[in-house]
Structure formats: structure tokens, C-alpha cells
Amino acid sequence: MTLFEDLDKRLLPGFKRQRVQTTEGEILALVGGEGPPLLMLHGDPQTHLCWHGIAPRLAEDYSVVLTDLRGRGESHKPGLSPGHLAYAKRTYAKEQLEVMEALGFECFRLVGHDRGARVARRMALDHPERIERLAIMDIVPALDFYAQTTAQIAQDYYYFFFLTQPAPIPESLIRGDPEIFMGQILTGLPGQTAPYDPEAFKAYIAASTSEAAIVAFCECFRAGLSQDIGHDRDDRAAGRTIACPTLVMWGDQGVVGKNFDIRSIWKAWAPDSRFEPMPCGHFIPEEEPDRALRALREFLL
């Protein structure tokens, strides 16, 4: 049994591991519980394990699906692509829809944190007929983020600008000590106090420091500065907004909570939105799992 399989057994009891073949590659999915379908998408530089404090309890009421997004964990990892299209959030979203279809779920509730929240938001904009309710954790959309960045935000979230440099500049520098780089993102953000499960933390480092994972990490941010902003501009010009009820959560001690007008930004994108600040930093699922669970249970009904 691998480290990842052992951790799934311990931290996500009752969840069954599955390999789902999509058009472009294989995605790891874990499914647990019974009831209405609920897809939960993890953030960076993490895997599906980030939901271990929440997902088993939600599985009491829902058919919960946890995936490793492309480029992370045990899912396939495309390399460099023209225009960074392989890591546009639109591409991620289409692939996650394929996963849900393969599992027999046409429409579903959707929760995302960090990178997973960006994918979830794009899925709700591009495929409104598929998403019944949307919960977003600790992001602002790419267009708003880059348009409103200040010197302080650039200092705190330096990697949003470092990782977008042309290949192989950031990849080569990260290779010098990938464990320190990924560990700093997991533990060094302002307001960061996440009490990680020690073995889960080791798994995040192991999963994010391979050559393919480092390329994927950089490409995701390059796509954010190019493809994702372009898609946001198109939506704004067309007046497209998120149609379903949306819960926006953020850590009020983190970079996003301290530097952005969350309510104003998200009301413009999701008219039917409600807001739930959390007394923590960025990594809500592991810093405040009980509070997050209560908010999700109330919202997802």
C-alpha cells in the first residue's frame, strides 16, 4: 500500500478510490456516502486529502466526490502547452465534468478551495445547467486579482508573479529545493496557522515536488495571467454571471480577506451570493474544518 492509499484509508474512511479515464488523461477520484452528488475540489499545493476534516461528515448526507485535479496528486500531469491551455480553468472544468459524468452524476453541488475554487467558479459560469449550488473558499477571480493587486499583495503573494515567468525560469529555480518552496507556500503565508495532519503534510510535499508537478504548478499560474483573465473579460463584456446560489468563504486573517472587498467583488459575479468569513488564514479546510462544515451544511441543503 502506498503512502497515499494508506492516508486515504485512515483519513477518509469509507471512501472508495477510482481511476477515471477522461479525454486527456486519468483522474483519481474518491467517492463516499449516499445522497445528492457533491464534488469537492482541492487547492494548491495540496490534494484531495485537504478535505479529510470535512468530507467524511458530509458523506453522511451526500454522495461526495473528491478528485485530484490535473497536475496534482495522482492525476495526470500535462506538460507545457501552447498558450498554457492545458491549465486554463476552463480546461480543468470540462475535465471534472467528464469525471462526474463517468460516475453517473449529471447535476451536482460544488465546493472548491484555492485552485479548486477557480475551477469551480469557471464550471459554474460555463456550465450553469450542471451546477446546483456553489461554495467558493478564499479566492477572488483572476481578473479582479490582477487588476487590484497592490505592492503589499505582490509581496505576500509573490508566487502569483514569480510562477508566471517564462519556462523554464521558475521551474529551474524551484528545482533547487522544491521541498522548501512548496513547504513555504503551505506554512509561510501571512495569517497561516493550519494544523496539518503530519502525514497529510508529507503527502502534499511528496505530491507537489516531482518534475511534472512543478511544471504543472507554474503552468497553472501562467494560465491564470493569460487564459483565465481573458475568459473573465469575455464574461464581463457579455454580462455573464453565476446563476446558482453561491456561498463565498474566506479567511479574514489571510491575504485575500485583508486586501480585497470580497462582498463587492463577488456580488458582481454571483448576484445570488451569501458570505461567510472564517477566523483563519488561507487554508480553511484544515484551519477551520468544523466552522466550514457548519456553513456548508446549512448552505448545501
Side-chain angles (χ1 to χ4, degrees), residues 181-225:
F181 180 79
M182 296 300 177
Q184 191 275 335
I185 291 178
L186 284 163
T187 63
L189 296 177
Q192 177 59 49
T193 56
Y196 296 110
D197 176 275
E199 294 303 313
F201 183 83
K202 290 180 183 178
Y204 299 150
I205 296 297
S208 63
T209 52
S210 70
E211 175 65 22
I214 291 169
V215 172
F217 196 56
C218 297
E219 281 290 280
C220 178
F221 281 84
R222 292 181 186 121
L225 189 58

Side-chain angles (χ1 to χ4, degrees), residues 1-240:
M1 184 177 292
T2 68
L3 166 65
F4 302 128
E5 290 170 325
D6 182 63
L7 280 172
D8 285 343
K9 185 176 180 180
R10 179 169 69 84
L11 295 177
L12 295 165
F15 279 74
K16 180 182 178 182
R17 293 166 59 92
Q18 300 184 45
R19 305 279 180 171
V20 179
Q21 185 63 45
T22 69
T23 301
E24 295 187 27
E26 192 175 77
I27 295 291
L28 175 70
L30 279 75
V31 183
E34 294 182 358
L38 168 64
L39 174 61
M40 304 184 75
L41 302 177
H42 67 84
D44 252 339
Q46 298 168 297
T47 71
H48 66 273
L49 282 169
C50 80
W51 300 113
H52 69 84
I54 298 175
R57 290 181 281 179
L58 284 176
E60 297 169 6
D61 302 300
Y62 299 94
S63 294
V64 178
V65 179
L66 311 177
T67 63
D68 282 347
L69 292 166
R70 60 166 50 198
R72 279 285 165 261
E74 297 173 72
S75 291
H76 74 110
K77 298 172 178 63
L80 300 174
S81 63
H84 321 297
L85 277 169
Y87 289 95
K89 306 312 167 290
R90 176 164 286 164
T91 306
Y92 281 99
K94 288 180 180 177
E95 185 164 70
Q96 291 297 310
L97 287 174
E98 281 193 61
V99 171
M100 293 301 278
E101 289 168 2
L103 296 173
F105 303 127
E106 186 68 22
C107 300
F108 49 91
R109 295 163 173 82
L110 179 59
V111 177
H113 171 250
D114 188 79
R115 178 199 293 212
R118 298 185 183 282
V119 176
R121 168 185 171 272
R122 177 47 55 193
M123 200 184 305
L125 283 164
D126 287 358
H127 307 276
E129 74 285 357
R130 304 288 298 276
I131 309 305
E132 296 169 342
R133 285 180 174 261
L134 171 68
I136 294 292
M137 293 188 184
D138 211 62
I139 66 158
V140 292
L143 181 61
D144 302 273
F145 177 85
Y146 284 106
Q148 298 184 30
T149 288
T150 63
Q152 187 60 55
I153 295 169
Q155 176 72 10
D156 292 342
Y157 268 174
Y158 71 93
Y159 51 88
F160 273 80
F161 307 91
F162 166 60
L163 294 169
T164 57
Q165 299 306 307
I169 294 170
E171 289 94 335
S172 299
L173 294 172
I174 293 168
R175 283 188 208 108
D177 200 327
E179 292 189 9
I180 283 184
F181 180 79
M182 296 300 177
Q184 191 275 335
I185 291 178
L186 284 163
T187 63
L189 296 177
Q192 177 59 49
T193 56
Y196 296 110
D197 176 275
E199 294 303 313
F201 183 83
K202 290 180 183 178
Y204 299 150
I205 296 297
S208 63
T209 52
S210 70
E211 175 65 22
I214 291 169
V215 172
F217 196 56
C218 297
E219 281 290 280
C220 178
F221 281 84
R222 292 181 186 121
L225 189 58
S226 55
Q227 296 293 331
D228 300 345
I229 282 183
H231 296 153
D232 283 357
R233 288 194 182 110
D234 291 345
D235 288 333
R236 183 150 286 171
R240 277 189 293 271

Side-chain angles (χ1 to χ4, degrees), residues 38-39 58 62 108-112 124 131-137 242-249 270-276 278 291-301:
L38 168 64
L39 174 61
L58 284 176
Y62 299 94
F108 49 91
R109 295 163 173 82
L110 179 59
V111 177
I131 309 305
E132 296 169 342
R133 285 180 174 261
L134 171 68
I136 294 292
M137 293 188 184
I242 294 169
C244 66
T246 301
L247 173 65
V248 180
M249 307 166 73
D272 186 6
S273 56
R274 58 219 69 183
F275 302 95
E276 194 73 42
M278 296 279 133
R291 286 176 183 264
L293 176 67
R294 287 197 295 271
L296 288 172
R297 276 182 165 159
E298 181 178 337
F299 171 72
L300 293 170
L301 289 175

